[in-house]
Amino acid sequence: MRPPSAAALKPTPHERMDPGTRHLARRAFLADQYRLTAAGTERARAAGLVNADWYKPPVARALMKTLLQRSDTGAIRDTVLWYALIVTSGVLAHFALGTAWAVPAFLLYGTLYCGPADSRWHECGHGTAFKTRWMNDALYQVASFQVLRRPTVWRWSHARHHTDTLVVGRDPEIAAQVPTRWSVVLGNIAGLAHVSGELRRLLLNVAGWLDAEEETFVPESERPKIAREARIWAAIYLCVFAACIALHSIVPLLYIGLPSLYGAWLYHFFGLTQHAGLPENVTDHRLNCRTVYMNPVFRFLYWNMNYHVEHHMFPMVPYHALPRLHAALRSEMPPPYPSTLAAYREIIPALVRQTRDPGYSVERPAATDCRGRAMSQWVAAGRLDDIDDEDVRRFDHGGRTFAVYRMGSEVYASDGLCTHEQAHLADGFLFDHVIECPKHNGRFDIRDGRPLGAPVCIALRTYPAKVEGGRIFIEI
Ligand code: FES
């Protein structure tokens, strides 16, 4: 045998790194997975996570119709009250100028200016706050400015967030990426990360360009609108700067512009409760969203976005109907968090653990029946037509992988991986109700999972499956 060459014995660049540098390189590699233009996107697509079929509990049509009713009255009342609070705090801040009271007064003003603008931006973006369309659009534009989110870009960003929630390489709005980078988390809470990123992209938009990642979800036809909005915003900021120069004072900027920075902490405080620490790359909102009971003041400021599981499942339901939707779905949901504090008791330790262990995520308890027993659920697993007769297809759900088999009009389902080693049975060969593993030809009966000889000796777990209206459902 020839000895290995000197080149083969040479350490790779990775091996030459000292442990600290290697650790940083690994973190950079993991952070890169979130880029919408990186390999993570292709991995998400290959895993069937792009535009996947998400779990949705059944809701009676009659009930859903009542929940979907839009109304101007409540949203007008809430909006008038919100702006009255902003104006009042702004007047207080004005009278506090020149005293130490100016600091808390402006903090209050900025918090009211920017914090609730997040949920108003969000609800009006969905078009569900008001019944009247132009009211949604008008408040959407103003709230976008207050929270510093370019209106058209973020409308598309949020649509993607709903399609591929917490899918790495697809979702542009994953706030707490793993491993946890505390500089980013704390930078976000201080508003710095968001504001600096948005201002850089705003300048690109003023010039008529778009960030490369944003190009992946914004249609080409939207570019003129994005440039127009960016130029209007730039003109407003220039007016504010001009006022500062004319008055030899930073006060105009403290009222318009800077609140998007120093008032941002509130929406990050609310926003982290939505998904932080929960598993990525699953297709069930009960696993990757939180519903948190909040007090009435928080619910007003946050426009009921604390019912976040329900919102993700049914984004057409307006904010004022979310408590009723939550009540209707209680039996289908994991238990809600009793308070914001309770949510943070879970989030902070989870983020700390994810600093060192990127594979960790919080596991939500399953939905339970009235006796606290875990309930199984029928999950939609694609269309019958999508599987050829006597064939098998892979189906991923809730972080697990399954194999779905078709024999004529009959369907069967089992765990997706062979019980011998890690091989996907969906890559195997199906004949006469027998699936043959692609790796070592182990065979299972798909009707009950029986192993049919070496090298497999452990039974495959099977699941009830049925076809309704041309769609396959499996009970897991
Ligand atoms: Fe399936 Fe070996 S991995 S038989």
Side-chain angles (χ1 to χ4, degrees):
M1 199 173 123
R2 280 177 36 195
S5 68
L9 288 174
K10 235 166 103 180
T12 64
H14 188 71
E15 287 165 339
R16 275 202 301 271
M17 291 175 188
D18 63 77
T21 312
R22 197 154 56 229
H23 176 68
L24 288 177
R26 177 171 153 71
R27 289 174 76 84
F29 168 78
L30 289 168
D32 197 51
Q33 301 307 298
Y34 289 90
R35 290 180 60 77
L36 308 187
T37 47
T41 306
E42 275 321 303
R43 262 199 296 281
R45 201 180 298 282
L49 291 165
V50 173
N51 203 7
D53 198 4
W54 288 67
Y55 170 78
K56 250 187 198 184
V59 180
R61 187 72 200 146
L63 171 64
M64 186 48 80
K65 280 184 83 168
T66 65
L67 293 171
L68 291 179
Q69 292 307 312
R70 311 283 159 84
S71 153
D72 287 339
T73 321
I76 290 174
R77 181 202 57 217
D78 287 348
T79 304
V80 169
L81 178 56
W82 175 40
Y83 279 106
L85 289 170
I86 294 174
V87 171
T88 307
S89 61
V91 171
L92 283 177
H94 171 76
F95 285 113
L97 277 171
T99 73
W101 287 105
V103 175
F106 271 101
L107 188 60
L108 176 66
Y109 168 79
T111 301
L112 289 167
Y113 170 110
C114 180
D118 163 61
S119 53
R120 275 63 179 173
W121 158 83
H122 175 263
E123 189 74 13
C124 294
H126 281 284
T128 44
F130 300 88
K131 186 174 182 183
T132 306
R133 192 170 161 187
W134 71 260
M135 292 187 189
N136 279 313
D137 291 342
L139 185 56
Y140 182 74
Q141 289 292 334
V142 179
S144 296
F145 181 80
Q146 289 175 232
V147 75
L148 192 58
R149 283 188 195 135
R150 291 154 301 136
T152 298
V153 173
W154 278 83
R155 198 186 281 275
W156 288 98
S157 157
H158 198 64
R160 171 68 72 79
H161 171 65
H162 269 266
T163 305
D164 297 327
T165 311
L166 255 62
V167 172
V168 174
R170 288 287 294 178
D171 184 350
E173 297 182 9
I174 302 181
Q177 302 180 351
V178 286
T180 307
R181 282 175 296 161
W182 288 97
S183 56
V184 175
V185 174
L186 299 175
N188 263 330
I189 292 170
L192 289 169
H194 171 74
V195 168
S196 58
E198 277 300 284
L199 289 180
R200 181 181 65 78
R201 294 186 193 102
L202 180 72
L203 290 177
L204 284 180
N205 297 165
V206 168
W209 298 323
L210 206 54
D211 175 89
E213 286 192 87
E214 291 174 349
E215 275 179 353
T216 65
F217 57 79
V218 179
E220 181 74 28
S221 57
E222 295 285 61
R223 286 193 177 208
K225 198 158 129 200
I226 292 168
R228 195 166 54 244
E229 288 168 352
R231 287 163 195 161
I232 292 171
W233 280 28
I236 295 173
Y237 288 129
L238 283 177
C239 290
V240 178
F241 284 133
C244 288
I245 292 166
L247 296 171
H248 300 288
S249 162
I250 197 180
V251 170
L253 209 49
L254 285 175
Y255 277 107
I256 298 172
L258 280 178
S260 306
L261 178 73
Y262 70 79
W265 68 271
L266 182 67
Y267 76 75
H268 287 297
F269 171 68
F270 289 148
L272 272 182
T273 65
Q274 296 177 355
H275 310 286
L278 295 177
E280 296 165 334
N281 298 333
V282 296
T283 55
D284 190 331
H285 294 116
R286 295 169 302 177
L287 303 175
N288 68 7
C289 303
R290 281 188 190 83
T291 282
V292 181
Y293 287 153
M294 290 187 177
N295 63 55
V297 175
F298 281 8
R299 286 214 315 276
F300 166 75
L301 297 172
Y302 196 28
W303 260 11
N304 283 341
M305 269 309 110
N306 51 307
Y307 296 103
H308 213 64
V309 185
E310 294 80 357
H311 165 69
H312 264 274
M313 283 179 172
F314 298 97
M316 287 193 310
V317 173
Y319 74 100
H320 54 78
L322 285 175
R324 281 185 289 143
L325 176 62
H326 169 71
L329 295 180
R330 268 305 294 269
S331 63
E332 298 280 342
M333 298 292 168
Y337 294 76
S339 66
T340 315
L341 196 60
Y344 270 94
R345 274 200 204 108
E346 176 180 273
I347 292 166
I348 292 173
L351 294 184
V352 169
R353 186 160 166 191
Q354 285 179 333
T355 311
R356 293 254 160 244
D357 178 5
Y360 172 77
S361 60
V362 171
E363 209 169 299
R364 296 290 287 131
T368 53
D369 64 12
C370 56
R371 291 189 189 146
R373 294 177 305 205
M375 293 167 70
S376 61
Q377 280 121 19
W378 286 96
V379 175
R383 299 195 60 78
L384 183 66
D385 293 347
D386 293 341
I387 310 180
D388 292 337
D389 189 13
E390 262 202 291
D391 206 354
V392 51
R393 203 190 66 167
R394 177 174 167 173
F395 170 63
D396 292 319
H397 178 83
R400 296 165 61 189
T401 186
F402 301 90
V404 182
Y405 313 89
R406 176 178 177 183
M407 299 289 302
S409 59
E410 296 290 315
V411 286
Y412 303 88
S414 74
D415 276 341
L417 294 176
C418 180
T419 58
H420 176 224
E421 286 179 4
Q422 298 280 303
H424 279 282
L425 294 172
D427 297 330
F429 176 52
L430 180 66
F431 60 98
D432 292 343
H433 293 94
V434 171
I435 180 71
E436 184 176 294
C437 173
K439 203 163 180 181
H440 309 110
N441 307 80
R443 294 176 182 184
F444 302 92
D445 190 316
I446 59 169
R447 289 167 292 196
D448 53 14
R450 256 180 317 134
L452 300 174
V456 291
C457 44
I458 300 170
L460 188 62
R461 187 170 177 190
T462 57
Y463 302 87
K466 63 183 180 182
V467 179
E468 274 181 14
R471 297 176 78 195
I472 300 170
F473 292 86
I474 65 175
E475 190 182 23
I476 55 178

